[in-house]
């Protein structure tokens, strides 16, 4: 026996992390000399822009940034966030009490249930979804109640379908629009209904806005705080990762009224000591330049989307163009139903990595997700390979 301690029930309760399997298969294919085209990872392929690097260079030379960050984070960054939010969504948040820097938004999303759930409490979690919501609820001793996202409902959840006894125990609902993995956005009417329902049922809305700046439609994605009454019922998570090609830097922030932010801060104060101050300084510049960076990045993603969606459609995929995010989420062609098998074959026969929908939850079965983190010529190459083998 190599190790004598059994893993905790907490770890045992986690669903298998499918992406590890895919990663293993991909690495093996590369080792075997295969030319792999990788639509798997949700990580921008471009480098972090120069204006961020320059700000980081400057900040890191200042020894003042080398110490433990303050508990609420750097005041300059919090003020920059508050200004950016006001400019982008037209809502004011007090940088002193309503903005909290995070070590990536995943960190905040994962810590939040610890601040609000007791064992046996329910959290409503969309299916399919970004996997950390479910694990965060389980780690807090909560019970995830899945809300299936169906294509015929625009991949929006139907909370009316939650049985009354379950609803009575519910404390949180996770929503994520623009949505990973489906690529859809939510209309204002959806948020209005959600806020009304959440206030009535005393449920906290956890809005994940990681893709607020990755969009192609005329209408910019909404913040839940653009809805009247949302301040009462919501906390929102933002990220510099996808907005400014900063996934490795780990920088995000939470927005919400003081009571909510303070509870999250108390968890964090006991778990981590905040974001490296130099990175927060770099974040000030990232936010300042984000509108022009975003315009360019979205043009690029749009070209890729059109190339991929056009090609997939010719191949018989029932695909619709995504309005936002850098994901194309589509049903499988030719009556196929098993997304894991489909992706396994795709890698073996075409050297193409895509993510099976079932990896995001049972309701994602029958779908596959392609990340638009691949340049257009490689997208065309992928389509050619698929044409030969389908
Ligand atoms: C990428 C992503 C995040 C988080 O990113 P961080 O790098 O932790 O800020 C959050 N939610 C969704 C849905 C994502 O896809």
């Amino acid at each position: 026996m190599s190790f004598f301690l059994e893993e905790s029930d907490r770890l045992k309760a986690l669903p298998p992390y499918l992406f590890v399997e895919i990663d293993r298969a991909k690495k093996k294919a590369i080792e075997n000399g295969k030319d792999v085209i990788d639509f798997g990872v949700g990580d921008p392929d471009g480098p972090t822009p120069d204006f961020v690097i320059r700000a980081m260079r400057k900040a890191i030379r200042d020894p003042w940034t080398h110490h433990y960050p303050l508990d609420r984070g750097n005041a300059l960054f919090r003020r920059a966030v508050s200004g950016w939010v006001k400019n982008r969504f037209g809502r004011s948040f007090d940088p002193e009490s309503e903005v909290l820097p995070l070590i990536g938004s995943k960190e905040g999303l994962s810590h939040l249930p610890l601040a609000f759930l007791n064992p046996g409490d329910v959290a409503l979690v969309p299916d399919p979804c970004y996997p950390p919501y479910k694990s965060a609820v389980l780690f807090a001793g909560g019970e995830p109640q899945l809300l299936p996202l169906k294509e015929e409902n625009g991949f929006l959840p139907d909370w009316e379908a939650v049985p009354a006894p379950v609803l009575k125990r519910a404390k949180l609902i996770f929503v994520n629009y623009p949505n990973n993995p489906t690529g859809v956005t939510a209309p204002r009417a959806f948020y209005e209904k959600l806020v009304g329902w959440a206030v009535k049922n005393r449920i906290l809305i956890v809005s994940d806005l990681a893709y607020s700046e990755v969009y192609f439609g005329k209408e910019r994605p909404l913040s839940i705080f653009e809805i009247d009454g949302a301040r009462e019922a919501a906390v929102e998570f933002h990220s510099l990762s996808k907005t400014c090609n900063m996934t490795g830097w780990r920088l995000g922030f939470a927005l919400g009224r003081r009571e909510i932010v303070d509870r999250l801060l108390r968890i964090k104060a006991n778990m981590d000591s905040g974001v490296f101050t130099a990175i927060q300084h770099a974040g000030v510049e990232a936010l300042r330049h984000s509108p022009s960076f975003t315009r360019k990045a979205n043009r690029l993603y749009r070209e890729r989307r059109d190339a991929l969606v056009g090609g997939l459609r010719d191949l018989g995929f029932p695909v619709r163009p995504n309005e936002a995010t850098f994901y194309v989420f589509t049903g499988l062609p030719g009556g196929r139903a098993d997304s894991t098998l489909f992706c396994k074959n795709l890698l073996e026969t075409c050297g193409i990595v895509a993510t099976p929908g079932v990896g995001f939850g049972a309701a994602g079965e029958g779908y596959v997700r392609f990340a638009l983190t691949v340049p257009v010529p490689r997208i065309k190459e992928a389509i050619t390979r698929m044409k030969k083998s389908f």
Side-chain angles (χ1 to χ4, degrees):
M1 203 166 58
S2 58
F3 191 55
F4 57 89
L5 277 182
E6 221 185 307
E7 67 183 21
S8 65
D9 295 342
R10 187 172 293 119
L11 282 181
K12 280 186 193 145
L14 289 184
Y17 207 67
L18 185 86
F19 306 127
V20 179
E21 301 280 308
I22 297 166
D23 209 47
R24 201 172 296 143
K26 177 178 94 185
K27 287 205 176 103
K28 216 172 107 198
I30 293 169
E31 268 165 35
N32 293 340
K34 220 175 203 151
D35 172 29
V36 169
I37 305 177
D38 190 356
F39 294 95
V41 280
D43 189 343
D45 52 321
T48 302
D50 258 349
F51 50 82
V52 181
I53 310 276
R54 278 199 302 271
M56 181 66 176
R57 278 218 175 99
K58 187 158 166 259
I60 207 170
R61 290 215 176 90
D62 183 347
W64 186 78
T65 66
H66 301 172
H67 300 279
Y68 284 122
L70 293 171
D71 61 350
R72 269 181 200 282
N74 182 261
L76 279 178
F77 179 62
R78 282 185 277 111
R79 270 180 237 143
V81 165
S82 179
W84 183 84
V85 168
K86 172 86 179 128
N87 190 39
R88 171 69 176 81
F89 303 110
R91 290 289 183 270
S92 299
F93 284 85
D94 174 16
E96 293 309 315
S97 61
E98 298 181 319
V99 174
L100 185 63
L102 300 168
I103 311 168
S105 62
K106 184 184 194 176
E107 176 263 295
L109 286 160
S110 303
H111 278 146
L112 185 92
L114 294 172
F116 290 95
L117 296 185
N118 289 317
D121 288 343
V122 167
L124 307 177
V125 175
D127 175 13
C129 76
Y130 180 56
Y133 307 152
K134 226 179 291 172
S135 25
V137 171
L138 290 169
F139 283 167
E143 290 174 24
Q145 168 80 18
L146 301 180
L147 300 177
L149 307 183
K150 296 186 186 139
E151 189 162 5
E152 63 265 30
N153 300 332
F155 292 115
L156 300 172
D158 175 17
W159 47 80
E160 303 295 347
V162 178
V166 178
L167 189 62
K168 249 172 67 191
R169 293 190 288 129
K171 295 249 176 88
L172 306 175
I173 180 169
F174 287 84
V175 291
N176 165 223
Y177 296 97
N179 182 259
N180 175 12
T182 66
V184 303
T185 53
R188 181 177 288 269
F190 166 82
Y191 282 119
E192 284 169 352
K193 269 202 326 219
L194 174 62
V195 168
W197 171 85
V199 169
K200 190 173 122 221
N201 291 285
R202 307 172 72 84
I203 291 170
L204 177 63
I205 302 164
V206 184
S207 169
D208 177 355
L209 222 60
Y211 294 94
S212 67
E213 306 314 299
V214 186
Y215 60 92
F216 317 111
K218 274 199 213 78
E219 283 181 41
R220 300 195 292 183
L222 294 170
S223 159
I224 192 144
F225 293 118
E226 291 180 65
I227 308 303
D228 290 338
R231 226 170 243 272
E232 196 53 42
V235 57
E236 193 161 77
F237 289 87
H238 291 253
S239 170
L240 276 293
S241 289
K242 319 291 167 42
T243 306
C244 247
N245 290 4
M246 290 177 70
T247 49
W249 296 61
R250 315 309 304 131
L251 184 61
F253 54 90
L255 291 177
R257 61 193 164 92
R258 175 193 289 264
E259 293 86 342
I260 297 171
V261 163
D262 273 355
R263 276 170 209 176
L264 179 56
L265 174 59
R266 270 161 64 208
I267 296 288
K268 279 175 59 58
N270 284 280
M271 304 278 248
D272 60 61
S273 298
V275 182
F276 181 22
T277 303
I279 290 179
Q280 296 186 66
H281 278 277
V284 172
E285 286 307 300
L287 289 173
R288 195 205 310 276
H289 293 276
S290 89
S292 60
F293 178 78
T294 292
R295 266 194 301 278
K296 265 184 269 162
N298 287 348
R299 252 199 313 271
L300 183 71
Y301 290 134
R302 187 191 194 117
E303 276 171 29
R304 293 173 176 181
R305 177 199 68 177
D306 293 345
L308 183 66
V309 167
L312 291 176
R313 202 174 270 152
D314 290 347
L315 284 160
F317 284 83
V319 60
R320 41 162 193 87
N322 53 313
E323 310 149 34
T325 76
F326 43 63
Y327 303 114
V328 171
F329 191 69
T330 170
L332 303 173
R336 296 172 179 87
D338 184 331
S339 60
T340 310
L341 184 66
F342 176 81
C343 289
K344 201 165 160 261
N345 289 338
L346 196 62
L347 180 58
E348 274 165 16
T349 59
C350 305
I352 294 169
V353 178
T355 310
V358 73
F360 302 96
E365 184 55 297
Y367 290 86
V368 58
R369 190 194 78 175
F370 292 88
L372 297 168
T373 48
V374 175
V376 170
R378 294 288 279 170
I379 292 176
K380 290 191 172 147
E381 160 74 16
I383 297 292
T384 306
R385 286 188 199 175
M386 282 193 260
K387 275 191 180 138
K388 275 189 204 137
S389 77
F390 274 23

